[in-house]
Amino acid sequence: MKKLFFIAVLFALSTFSRPTIADDITEFDYPFLLGNWYWFSSTEAGVESEGESYRAMHVQFKSDYQFAMRLLRIDGKIEQWAGEYNIDETNITFMTENEEDQMHTYMLSYNQFVLDGARFTKLAPENLPGIWKTSAISGVDVDQSISELSLTLRPDFLFSAEVSNDKGKSKEHRGIYYIEDNQLVLLYEDGQHDSEFELTSNDTLMLTNTHFGMEAILQRE
């Protein structure tokens, strides 16, 4: 793999064993890593590396330890790679066919990923962030007194969720969310909630959870 990053990097053979793939993303050891990460040059001239200048970079990480990477050069051409990765608390190793493994240092938060000094930002699907309120909520395990769910998903992967009942009482949770494919996980101080989501239109969000027998239809405010 050539010209992988925009700064000097340390190349090393991986000493990791093959990772165990989680059955569910809630069991994945580094959930904040999942998703689509983007780096953009702050200048039109881009950032030079090994004789080429780059304007942007996109890397996607999946819970099955697959990654895909694309680099946009200032001449408009795209360089791309895909393969497997492995990760521990301080290093991430990229493995592609017919190339030496490459190990890099990183730092990670729920929406920032610093890779050998290059800062990436995670972006949510275009139409998912917003303020959503239920037009219907049902399920065998849903308390019959619940009258409304209000869910705010911010582009920076913070959320707030407020559940109200027919007596006017409400409870709010705030925390961090992450997604993969059609699975949405809300993490808050005393628990987590995961569900499958579907954007049936720009203004309608459907949440389902077969474990708890819940189905909710939300409208964008």
Side-chain angles (χ1 to χ4, degrees):
M1 195 185 295
K2 299 178 180 179
K3 304 171 185 173
L4 181 57
F5 298 110
F6 314 104
I7 55 177
V9 294
L10 174 65
F11 294 92
L13 292 177
S14 171
T15 58
F16 293 110
S17 61
R18 186 180 180 85
T20 300
I21 297 175
D23 293 330
D24 186 88
I25 64 172
T26 59
E27 300 173 1
F28 186 68
D29 290 336
Y30 299 87
F32 294 159
L33 183 69
L34 303 177
N36 291 285
W37 299 89
Y38 295 85
W39 170 91
F40 298 97
S41 172
S42 59
T43 66
E44 291 188 1
V47 172
E48 192 274 336
S49 175
E50 298 185 13
E52 295 288 353
S53 293
Y54 298 93
R55 181 170 294 161
M57 180 177 178
H58 164 229
V59 58
Q60 180 189 64
F61 294 104
K62 304 283 285 184
S63 62
D64 61 359
Y65 292 92
Q66 298 292 314
F67 79 92
M69 191 176 301
R70 302 174 69 199
L71 283 75
L72 175 64
R73 296 178 3 187
I74 59 171
D75 62 6
K77 294 182 179 180
I78 294 176
E79 300 177 9
Q80 55 187 0
W81 298 272
E84 296 183 342
Y85 70 92
N86 210 332
I87 187 170
D88 65 15
E89 296 295 333
T90 56
N91 298 298
I92 186 166
T93 300
F94 296 93
M95 298 163 282
T96 57
E97 189 174 358
N98 300 322
E99 298 286 350
E100 289 188 350
D101 298 350
Q102 297 190 27
M103 182 185 291
H104 307 270
T105 59
Y106 79 93
M107 292 187 293
L108 177 68
S109 72
Y110 62 91
N111 67 352
Q112 296 290 309
F113 180 56
V114 180
L115 191 63
D116 286 330
R119 185 177 295 274
F120 293 73
T121 298
K122 184 160 61 172
L123 298 184
E126 182 178 1
N127 296 321
L128 184 61
I131 301 174
W132 303 90
K133 288 190 177 181
T134 49
S135 58
I137 184 169
S138 61
V140 294
D141 291 329
V142 176
D143 192 321
Q144 295 301 308
S145 67
I146 292 177
S147 59
E148 185 178 75
L149 166 65
S150 178
L151 177 64
T152 300
L153 299 172
R154 290 175 30 173
D156 60 0
F157 291 88
L158 297 177
F159 82 90
S160 62
E162 184 176 24
V163 178
S164 303
N165 64 20
D166 53 14
K167 296 181 180 179
K169 294 184 178 181
S170 63
K171 183 175 183 179
E172 185 181 42
H173 292 293
R174 293 179 179 271
I176 299 165
Y177 72 94
Y178 63 93
I179 61 175
E180 183 175 67
D181 299 328
N182 68 333
Q183 190 169 0
L184 168 69
V185 182
L186 308 177
L187 294 175
Y188 44 95
E189 184 176 0
D190 54 353
Q192 69 177 24
H193 177 83
D194 67 283
S195 58
E196 294 184 354
F197 74 92
E198 180 182 0
L199 285 164
T200 58
S201 72
N202 289 344
D203 298 316
T204 303
L205 173 66
M206 180 178 291
L207 299 178
T208 56
N209 186 307
T210 56
H211 298 295
F212 298 101
M214 183 273 290
E215 181 174 295
I217 301 174
L218 300 93
Q219 303 296 321
R220 188 186 298 275
E221 290 290 293

